[in-house]
């Protein structure tokens, strides 16, 4: 199986072996060339060992590996690299969008509590835009489209509606818990909370 050098298929661990990012083999080799990272040599469930670029280039390309072409021939693309110095876990702050509002409000209309299908959901501005309401986490909720249309340019109180809970900005979370193994790379399973999509 061949791999694109720019496909995001390499898991990045900080020096405490916590997953913090997913990058391409090109970026991984860049980190290894500058000695910022080592590749993780994984042999099934038997062993894991960090190896330098010079050691990595000597490894045999196995049938299940994702090789990349180089001037010296095919080289095994790492599936996991470990940063030598970086110890933090960056925080993920979700951007405001209908999709992320859906996640915050758990797919429920914030006026009726009804579980919505994606086609039934819309963003409602608690203080309408026409009255200076911002498009922000603190002023928007998930609402049933028909109810939102009926509410129009009124406040919830004026429309006879009551919010289940006030809107709020989600707290940032460690990026580690947001990473998913969408490609089904077995070597990542040990390091990820969300093993699959």
């Amino acid at each position: 199986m061949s791999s694109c050098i720019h496909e995001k298929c390499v898991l990045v661990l900080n020096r405490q072996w916590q997953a913090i990012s997913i990058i391409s083999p090109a970026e991984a080799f860049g980190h290894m060339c500058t000695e910022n990272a080592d590749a993780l040599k994984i042999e099934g469930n038997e062993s894991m060992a960090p190896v330098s670029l010079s050691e990595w280039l000597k490894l045999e390309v196995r049938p299940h590996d994702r090789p990349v072409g180089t001037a010296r021939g095919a080289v095994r693309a790492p599936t996991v690299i470990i940063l030598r110095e970086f110890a933090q876990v960056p925080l993920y702050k979700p951007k405001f969008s209908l999709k992320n509002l859906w996640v915050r409000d758990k797919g429920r209309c914030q006026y009726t509590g009804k579980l919505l299908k994606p086609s039934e959901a819309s963003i409602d501005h608690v203080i309408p835009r026409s009255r200076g309401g911002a498009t922000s986490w603190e002023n928007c909720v998930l609402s049933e489209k028909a109810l939102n249309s009926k509410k129009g340019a009124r406040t919830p109180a004026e429309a006879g509606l009551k919010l289940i809970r006030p809107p709020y900005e989600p707290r940032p979370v460690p990026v580690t818990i947001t990473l998913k193994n969408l490609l089904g790379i077995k070597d990542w399973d040990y390091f990820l909370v969300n093993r699959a999509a």
Side-chain angles (χ1 to χ4, degrees):
M1 176 194 329
S2 69
S3 170
C4 175
I5 192 84
H6 300 294
E7 178 187 9
K8 293 199 178 289
C9 61
V10 181
L11 186 66
V12 180
L13 308 180
N14 66 13
R15 73 177 186 196
Q16 278 131 0
W17 292 44
Q18 297 165 302
I20 59 167
S21 180
I22 299 170
I23 62 173
S24 69
E27 293 168 298
F29 282 121
H31 283 297
M32 293 168 70
C33 284
T34 57
E35 299 184 353
N36 289 328
D38 293 315
L40 191 59
K41 180 183 172 191
I42 301 171
E43 302 295 338
N45 294 327
E46 295 81 48
S47 73
M48 290 184 200
V51 298
S52 66
L53 178 62
S54 59
E55 295 173 79
W56 187 263
L57 294 175
K58 296 174 192 167
L59 295 178
E60 167 191 355
V61 177
R62 303 163 299 185
H64 65 277
D65 286 327
R66 295 169 175 251
V68 294
T70 70
R72 63 190 308 164
V75 172
R76 184 192 303 189
T79 54
V80 181
I81 65 167
I82 304 164
L83 299 176
R84 291 182 179 180
E85 300 298 325
F86 190 80
Q88 287 99 5
V89 175
L91 293 177
Y92 168 75
K93 185 176 181 180
K95 290 186 171 80
F96 181 84
S97 68
L98 177 57
K99 180 182 173 189
N100 288 332
L101 193 64
W102 177 279
V103 172
R104 183 197 72 182
D105 292 346
K106 298 179 175 57
R108 292 192 179 275
C109 175
Q110 292 301 290
Y111 295 110
T112 66
K114 178 182 174 188
L115 192 57
L116 303 173
K117 295 178 185 162
S119 61
E120 298 172 324
S122 66
I123 296 174
D124 174 60
H125 291 74
V126 178
I127 304 298
R129 282 185 293 184
S130 63
R131 294 164 75 170
T135 301
S136 68
W137 288 111
E138 295 85 359
N139 187 50
C140 293
V141 294
L142 196 66
S143 173
E144 193 171 0
K145 279 182 184 174
L147 185 65
N148 193 2
S149 182
K150 198 186 268 189
K151 175 181 174 271
R154 296 178 291 171
T155 66
E158 292 167 349
L161 299 170
K162 188 173 165 108
L163 283 166
I164 292 172
R165 71 170 178 222
Y168 64 94
E169 182 172 0
R171 287 199 318 242
V173 295
V175 72
T176 302
I177 66 173
T178 69
L179 299 175
K180 294 185 179 169
N181 191 357
L182 299 176
L183 299 174
I185 297 171
K186 190 172 182 346
D187 293 348
W188 295 9
D189 286 347
Y190 183 79
F191 305 102
L192 296 182
V193 176
N194 300 303
R195 296 186 176 208

